[in-house]
Amino acid sequence: DHADGEHARGTTDAHIWDAHIWLDPANAKAIVEIVTQTLVAKYPAHADAFKANASALNAKIDALSLEIEKDLAPVKEKPFIVFHDAYQYFEKRFGLAAAGSVTLSPDQQPSAKRLTAVRKKIGELGAVCVFSEPGFQPNLINAVTEGTKARAGTLDPEGIALKPGAGLYFELMRGLAKSTVECLMSAR
């Protein structure tokens, strides 16, 4: 635990562990590998097709990762705050300057003390954006950005606002990158 109530990143505590592993394309490729191995074991007659599909998908994920890295390059040094600590894999993969979260868990409402501490952190670190998520109260974001130079943005790490379909992972990841860039580039 940090003195300000923030938990250390990378902890294994089930209540605060970041389970959003798909937000790092390298993890997405690891998932592809596990799924491929599982399918090959269950349906060996189709092994060549599964392996070819996995190879093609991994190439697309590599290209996506390079695209996102390029898109995020101009904002890598700009500090920001997220609604809850769900972006560690994305932040680490792309070298972003995350400065903390409004709440440690989306299931817990932050206290007034926590909101005051986050607002103070925004000022001290010069955070330029505070990200909310679909389905969560924008009033909390407004409360911590009020009186600061930070603006509000929205990130959707689970694709809640997206329509199901082919290519959804790529749409999700591009959407995160686009939302990040838009908020950080248009900061006050």
Side-chain angles (χ1 to χ4, degrees):
D1 255 336
H2 294 271
D4 67 355
E6 263 313 300
H7 284 79
R9 293 188 176 235
T11 184
T12 56
D13 184 328
H15 298 290
I16 57 169
W17 182 70
D18 182 2
H20 299 80
I21 63 172
W22 60 87
L23 296 182
D24 180 341
N27 289 341
K29 288 176 61 175
I31 293 167
V32 169
E33 180 61 26
I34 291 167
V35 170
T36 302
Q37 290 174 7
T38 303
L39 290 171
V40 166
K42 185 148 177 96
Y43 306 102
H46 302 287
D48 290 341
F50 293 138
K51 290 177 183 177
N53 288 342
S55 180
L57 182 54
N58 282 334
K60 288 180 181 178
I61 292 171
D62 285 339
L64 174 70
S65 187
L66 290 172
E67 174 189 328
I68 291 172
E69 188 173 327
K70 180 182 172 192
D71 290 346
L72 292 172
V75 298
K76 284 177 80 165
E77 303 300 320
K78 293 188 177 197
F80 60 91
I81 305 284
V82 293
F83 176 71
H84 84 283
D85 208 6
Y87 303 91
Q88 296 173 40
Y89 295 102
F90 189 77
E91 295 159 359
K92 185 174 181 182
R93 171 59 55 196
F94 298 110
L96 299 174
S101 62
V102 174
T103 183
L104 298 175
S105 167
D107 300 325
Q108 287 183 285
Q109 288 287 351
S111 66
K113 181 179 177 182
R114 173 89 179 145
L115 294 176
T116 301
V118 171
R119 183 180 301 150
K120 182 178 179 186
K121 184 182 261 188
I122 290 169
E124 289 172 352
L125 299 177
V128 296
C129 196
V130 179
F131 290 103
S132 182
E133 295 176 19
F136 290 103
Q137 299 175 359
N139 293 345
L140 291 176
I141 302 304
N142 294 337
V144 297
T145 58
E146 187 179 327
T148 73
K149 293 182 181 182
R151 68 181 302 248
T154 302
L155 295 176
D156 185 4
E158 297 174 343
I160 292 171
L162 301 178
K163 292 180 183 173
L168 189 59
Y169 176 73
F170 298 89
E171 188 178 349
L172 173 98
M173 294 297 287
R174 285 184 179 111
L176 283 176
K178 180 181 179 192
S179 295
T180 300
V181 169
E182 285 176 353
C183 191
L184 294 176
M185 290 297 284
S186 61
R188 298 176 218 172

